[in-house]
Amino acid sequence: MPEFSFNAPLKMGGLPGDARKRVFDRAERKFDLMQEMGTDLLLVCSSTMQDAEGDEGRIIDDFRELGERAASRGLRIGYEGLAWGRYINDHRDVAAIVSAVDLPSVGIILDSFHSLSRHIPISSIMDIDPAKIFLAQIADAPLMNMDILQWSRHFRCMPFQGGLPVTEWVAALIKIGYSGPLSLEIFNDRFRSGFSKTVAIDGKRSLVTVRDDAHYLVGEETHLPDRSDPAIKFIEFSVPPGKGEELGKILDMIGFEHIGNHKIRDVALWRSQNDIFIIINRESYSFSGSFSLIHGDALCAIGLYVKDRKAALERAHHLGMAVAENLSDSLSGRSINAIRSVGGSLVYFLDEDVYTELWEKEFEITQKIKPEIKGSITSFDHVASIVGYDEFLSWVLYWTSLFDLKVCQEVDLIDPGGVVQSQALESKNKNFRLTLNGSLGARTLASRFEKKFLGAGYQHIALGTDDIFAFSKRMRKTGLPILEINKNYYDDIQARFGLTDAFIIELSDGNILYDRDSDGGEFFQIFSRAIDRMFFFEIVQRVGEYKGYGAANTQVRLTAQRRAGEKQYSEHI
């Protein structure tokens, strides 16, 4: 028999009189269809019907009769306990009923969502006879406090797109010796509106990753190289030939120094403290040139430091990610491994060997970095990308399957033109942070970026500083065009956080946004005006153990950016 099952909307157990007869008649019709299809397994869910009775003896009798009828045709019955089942909603109860029925034709259907959404201990799987498990279905979901049925029907997603411990759940199955198929059962509004090819790619990618991770957890052989813990080492911008002056001026104002150029290509290298590099690429006949033809001045690539670049590339290849070929015109003769990412941009893999060689052999360094001063740029805090709403979960899976990243709490950002959904992903050491932002509303800043950019892309970089106030004072001298924040914002945060008058004046004078979390960590933000109403820089300082991204300030920031964009447009015309 082929390894697929027939999932019918058939709910069995405890029905009285005519209702019981009708459900058995329906089952016989399903059996007819199954034999025509060439499958032997029928999934039957626990009852949610109001007239069903919870007598366990009657439920056992029903499944024994159904199992005998199925066996007479060479078919099997799999019993699944729905998380919202009226009486049976726990796989432990399902296992007890199947054991009592005691027929080879009746087994258990396990579903990770039904178990994990009800917080049923994963350890309970260890008490199940693996021979009685006919099928294991898996699904992830974002952690949400809502009705389980609605949560299930609209928000189930692939493993590594949500927050449920699906890998640990699958590892428990492996421990008890289950070797049957893993089936994805996903109900999600995004998937329904998306492309079937994308869903299929995501499905395979998630199954390969969860299988591999689960085998790793139980100490068995895995097929994929380990995930890396990445760190951002450089950002590359593509600009049309002869352009890029505005971007260069802004980098200079922020505190980056133009320290040299590529030896044979029209590529400029900018650097700040702690080896924070930004590349401006004006090459026409290159990937960057093609990217700028489509998108204009844009972030076209990020360079990520990994322990083993070849292993990272091999993992990406096994996960079905597109490997970018023939990218190098390097003097060293070595191609830097890269894969395609958001909006067709690139992710370069750098390890110690190639990273050192990149700067020493490729670039003519003409200027030494100046001594460090307070308020310098000291890190890439995070990069923010805009993705299509129906691609949102695909990009979550892309990053979490490739790298060892934590999926943070999903938040809704209030834009004057609608709601923007935002998801942050972080490496354990916080050397790589990324936010994904998507919106259905056509009037949000995210949607307008996507339309003007001609697809998904990176909208801004957040740069970390050691002293936001020193940075602000220096920027006022250099003339960096800063996003202006309304004064009533500062009245509000003074009352909300109990801030002193002197502190509020310092924040207001610098157009600095402020947030504080429940653990006392503080977060400061300054935003530049957008370049060509598209890309902008964010300067941040984290104090203490602040874990967020200033979501509480988003509505104020987006309103200010909309106002600044409208002013810029009116001045232009």
Side-chain angles (χ1 to χ4, degrees):
M1 284 287 182
E3 270 195 356
F4 65 91
S5 59
F6 186 70
N7 194 345
L10 190 66
K11 296 174 182 177
M12 174 71 67
L15 288 170
D18 289 343
R20 183 178 187 277
K21 180 180 181 302
R22 286 194 298 272
V23 80
F24 274 98
D25 288 344
R26 287 189 67 205
E28 293 288 352
R29 303 290 78 76
K30 305 299 182 187
F31 293 162
D32 293 340
L33 182 57
M34 289 168 63
Q35 290 181 315
E36 289 182 34
M37 294 172 62
T39 186
D40 75 329
L41 178 60
L42 175 67
L43 278 66
V44 179
C45 301
S46 59
S47 182
T48 59
M49 301 174 71
Q50 291 297 315
D51 52 352
E53 298 175 3
D55 183 281
E56 185 174 305
R58 291 193 58 188
I59 296 173
I60 292 170
D61 289 342
D62 287 345
F63 274 93
R64 182 174 290 117
E65 181 176 342
L66 188 64
E68 289 170 347
R69 293 192 188 195
S72 69
R73 298 202 192 195
L75 306 176
R76 299 179 298 153
I77 301 297
Y79 186 24
E80 178 181 25
L82 298 177
W84 52 91
R86 190 170 182 198
Y87 298 108
I88 305 299
N89 48 40
D90 187 319
H91 66 243
R92 291 170 292 191
D93 295 331
V94 171
I97 289 169
V98 168
S99 178
V101 169
D102 194 23
L103 289 175
S105 59
V106 178
I108 305 165
I109 304 295
L110 286 179
D111 187 301
S112 65
F113 179 84
H114 292 307
S115 297
L116 297 174
S117 66
R118 294 185 63 86
H119 307 289
I120 298 170
I122 294 175
S123 59
S124 63
I125 291 175
M126 307 305 292
D127 299 325
I128 300 176
D129 178 2
K132 283 295 184 182
I133 303 174
F134 286 177
L135 180 66
Q137 297 178 319
I138 55 175
D140 205 340
L143 302 181
M144 308 173 77
N145 185 19
M146 66 184 304
D147 175 73
I148 294 180
L149 179 58
Q150 295 305 310
W151 189 19
S152 171
R153 286 183 174 173
H154 299 284
F155 295 99
R156 287 205 215 187
C157 53
M158 309 285 186
F160 306 102
Q161 292 177 330
L164 297 177
V166 180
T167 299
E168 291 81 355
W169 190 88
V170 174
L173 288 177
I174 295 172
K175 284 182 181 179
I176 65 172
Y178 175 73
S179 58
L182 295 176
S183 169
L184 291 167
E185 186 175 57
I186 311 295
F187 304 103
N188 191 290
D189 296 342
R190 280 197 179 97
F191 291 176
R192 294 184 180 102
S193 62
F195 294 107
S196 57
K197 181 178 179 180
T198 301
V199 176
I201 291 171
D202 287 351
K204 180 180 179 181
R205 185 171 292 165
S206 67
L207 285 171
V208 168
T209 307
V210 76
R211 176 207 62 192
D212 210 67
D213 282 11
H215 280 287
Y216 175 81
L217 285 181
V218 300
E220 295 182 1
E221 181 182 357
T222 59
H223 301 280
L224 298 177
D226 292 343
R227 286 186 181 85
S228 296
D229 196 7
I232 302 178
K233 285 300 184 180
F234 72 80
I235 297 288
E236 181 177 354
F237 286 94
S238 62
V239 298
K243 294 189 177 181
E245 291 82 2
E246 182 182 5
L247 177 58
K249 287 179 181 178
I250 289 177
L251 291 179
D252 183 62
M253 292 175 183
I254 289 175
F256 282 84
E257 294 180 78
H258 180 198
I259 64 169
N261 298 302
H262 196 274
K263 292 179 178 179
I264 61 174
R265 292 183 287 165
D266 191 6
V267 179
L269 182 64
W270 295 71
R271 180 176 181 258
S272 183
Q273 303 295 332
N274 290 356
D275 287 340
I276 307 303
F277 291 102
I278 289 181
I279 293 170
I280 299 180
N281 192 331
R282 299 184 181 89
E283 281 286 295
S284 300
Y285 301 103
S286 65
F287 163 77
S288 173
S290 300
F291 201 86
S292 66
L293 280 176
I294 299 171
H295 304 293
D297 294 3
L299 196 165
C300 68
I302 58 176
L304 297 181
Y305 185 89
V306 296
K307 184 177 180 181
D308 185 334
R309 64 191 178 94
K310 291 182 179 178
L313 188 71
E314 183 184 350
R315 183 179 182 90
H317 176 73
H318 279 300
L319 293 172
M321 297 172 182
V323 177
E325 303 287 353
N326 303 319
L327 290 172
S328 179
D329 298 323
S330 64
L331 297 176
S332 62
R334 296 177 61 179
S335 178
I336 303 175
N337 299 328
I339 59 172
R340 299 288 179 180
S341 183
V342 174
S345 64
L346 297 179
V347 174
Y348 288 103
F349 296 134
L350 313 167
D351 54 19
E352 185 64 36
D353 184 29
V354 73
Y355 179 67
T356 302
E357 191 173 83
L358 176 65
W359 311 123
E360 291 181 352
K361 294 191 175 182
E362 301 291 328
F363 289 87
E364 189 72 51
I365 305 301
T366 58
Q367 182 175 331
K368 293 183 178 180
I369 194 74
K370 294 178 182 177
E372 184 175 349
I373 59 174
K374 289 187 71 175
S376 296
I377 299 303
T378 57
S379 68
F380 290 112
D381 188 86
H382 65 275
V383 290
S385 60
I386 303 296
V387 298
Y389 185 81
D390 56 349
E391 297 179 330
F392 193 95
L393 290 174
S394 294
W395 287 113
V396 172
L397 177 61
Y398 172 95
W399 292 108
T400 55
S401 62
L402 180 60
F403 295 122
D404 188 11
L405 303 179
K406 171 190 173 185
V407 180
C408 301
Q409 184 69 42
E410 190 177 291
V411 296
D412 288 338
L413 306 178
I414 307 304
D415 183 291
V419 177
V420 177
Q421 187 175 21
S422 183
Q423 178 79 73
L425 308 172
E426 301 176 343
S427 63
K428 291 179 181 178
N429 57 17
K430 304 298 189 291
N431 285 331
F432 178 74
R433 294 186 181 99
L434 171 87
T435 61
L436 299 166
N437 304 282
S439 175
L440 277 176
R443 296 177 59 246
T444 64
L445 187 65
S447 294
R448 287 186 292 157
F449 171 90
E450 189 181 358
K451 182 177 180 181
K452 186 174 181 181
F453 194 76
L454 301 179
Y458 295 99
Q459 189 183 37
H460 82 266
I461 307 171
L463 301 166
T465 182
D466 55 355
D467 190 329
I468 196 83
F469 296 105
F471 175 86
S472 174
K473 290 175 183 177
R474 191 157 47 83
M475 291 311 97
R476 276 175 268 175
K477 293 179 181 179
T478 65
L480 179 71
I482 294 294
L483 190 67
E484 296 180 4
I485 306 301
N486 277 348
K487 301 304 178 184
N488 60 358
Y489 163 78
Y490 297 99
D491 295 335
D492 178 68
I493 62 169
Q494 182 170 26
R496 182 152 57 100
F497 295 114
L499 305 176
T500 66
D501 290 344
F503 192 58
I504 284 294
I505 289 171
E506 202 168 8
L507 290 173
S508 178
D509 286 348
N511 288 293
I512 301 170
L513 297 164
Y514 175 83
D515 191 29
R516 184 195 302 159
D517 62 21
S518 58
D519 296 325
E522 296 178 297
F523 191 58
F524 301 84
Q525 300 167 279
I526 294 175
F527 290 89
S528 76
R529 293 275 296 271
I531 302 172
D532 194 25
R533 302 183 69 198
M534 290 278 284
F535 189 90
F536 58 91
F537 290 92
E538 177 185 3
I539 315 300
V540 307
Q541 183 181 3
R542 296 175 184 269
V543 178
E545 296 298 321
Y546 184 89
K547 299 178 179 64
Y549 295 80
N553 294 324
T554 302
Q555 186 172 4
V556 173
R557 185 258 295 178
L558 290 172
T559 301
Q561 286 176 316
R562 178 181 285 262
R563 186 173 61 246
E566 290 170 351
K567 180 180 178 182
Q568 183 180 0
Y569 177 74
S570 63
E571 290 172 351
H572 177 72
I573 63 174

